[in-house]
Amino acid sequence: MSETMQVHPSSVPCAGGATVWLTGLPSAGKSTIAAGVADRLRTVRCGVEILDGDLIRTNLSKGLGYSREDRAVNIRRIGFVSGLLARNGVIVLVASIAPHADVREQVRADHDGHGVPYVEVHVSTPLEVASDRDVKGLYARQRAGEVSGLTGVDDEYEVPERPDLVLPTHEQTVAESVAALVDHLVERGITEQPHTGLRDAQRRPSGPSIDEHARTEHA
């Protein structure tokens, strides 16, 4: 073996994995929060990945439509990949609508069956707030009759009945949402507290709102 070869590219240790699934309406803030949490976690551990619903749609699930059956296949595929990564020590942050409760429960059951921690996070942004953000213009296109089957409008979104954590992004800043999720993961023993001023940021009233950051989000 070459003396210059690096056995591992990270300077921080790997630990046990988990799937953290952020579910909510389009433009709720899921991807924004996932990105913020990933940045924090990477300060204390290797093995952090984001599975974004839009990217999965254009790669792993390319060709699937938006019928209930196709949506279920898409979510099961994401669940399989996240579970596989989590079983190998990766914390996987999934930012995907996952509108149907029965499919979400199937994914949780699969994780439980393999002894893999699973955290369901409801990003509980109300429809009127999400439609006002309208990051990708989907709500406007639905109102114009250009698209149909938009989750939360003319296609059902089943609100989680017993999520592990609820993030009301319309009532708190990005920093507060990120801090709340990181703290939950710490309390669950999934990760250690990152070496940042998260709690200070959580208390800071002048921080940017989720609406200001949602402009870059792939919901």
Side-chain angles (χ1 to χ4, degrees):
M1 179 181 295
S2 170
E3 293 182 358
T4 61
M5 181 178 293
Q6 294 184 356
V7 176
H8 200 287
S10 177
S11 61
V12 292
C14 292
T19 290
V20 182
W21 198 299
L22 293 90
T23 175
L25 297 174
S27 297
K30 302 180 294 296
S31 294
T32 301
I33 296 169
V37 172
D39 286 345
R40 303 302 195 274
L41 296 184
R42 286 170 179 147
T43 67
V44 292
R45 57 169 292 141
C46 71
V48 180
E49 292 292 342
I50 297 175
L51 295 183
D52 184 273
D54 286 345
L55 295 179
I56 294 293
R57 277 280 183 180
T58 58
N59 293 279
L60 184 64
S61 293
K62 186 175 183 179
L64 289 178
Y66 291 89
S67 66
R68 185 180 180 97
E69 293 76 15
D70 280 2
R71 288 177 186 269
V73 171
N74 179 51
I75 296 308
R76 291 191 191 101
R77 287 179 181 177
I78 299 173
F80 173 79
V81 173
S82 65
L84 185 63
L85 290 170
R87 292 199 299 274
N88 287 277
V90 179
I91 291 182
V92 185
L93 297 156
V94 179
S96 177
I97 295 169
H100 300 124
D102 60 335
V103 184
R104 294 195 301 262
E105 286 305 310
Q106 289 173 20
V107 173
R108 181 190 288 274
D110 287 343
H111 281 69
D112 290 346
H114 287 94
V116 177
Y118 182 86
V119 181
E120 183 177 81
V121 181
H122 181 207
V123 184
S124 63
T125 309
L127 177 60
E128 57 271 21
V129 177
S131 62
D132 182 60
R133 294 174 182 167
D134 202 10
V135 177
K136 295 177 290 183
L138 291 176
Y139 293 99
R141 292 179 62 195
Q142 190 277 335
R143 288 192 294 269
E146 298 175 5
V147 297
S148 61
L150 181 60
T151 302
V153 180
D154 54 0
D155 201 4
E156 185 176 21
Y157 176 75
E158 297 173 358
V159 176
E161 294 183 357
R162 294 179 297 276
D164 298 291
L165 181 67
V166 177
L167 297 176
T169 66
H170 55 298
E171 297 176 351
Q172 58 193 33
T173 66
V174 172
E176 289 169 338
S177 294
V178 168
L181 180 46
V182 170
D183 284 347
H184 181 83
L185 299 180
V186 172
E187 291 168 5
R188 289 274 296 267
I190 292 172
T191 187
E192 62 180 279
Q193 185 67 250
H195 306 305
T196 64
L198 279 180
R199 288 187 174 83
D200 291 339
Q202 187 177 20
R203 289 191 292 264
R204 189 181 303 135
S206 59
S209 70
I210 200 87
D211 300 272
E212 292 172 307
H213 284 262
R215 302 304 170 189
T216 61
E217 186 213 23
H218 300 289

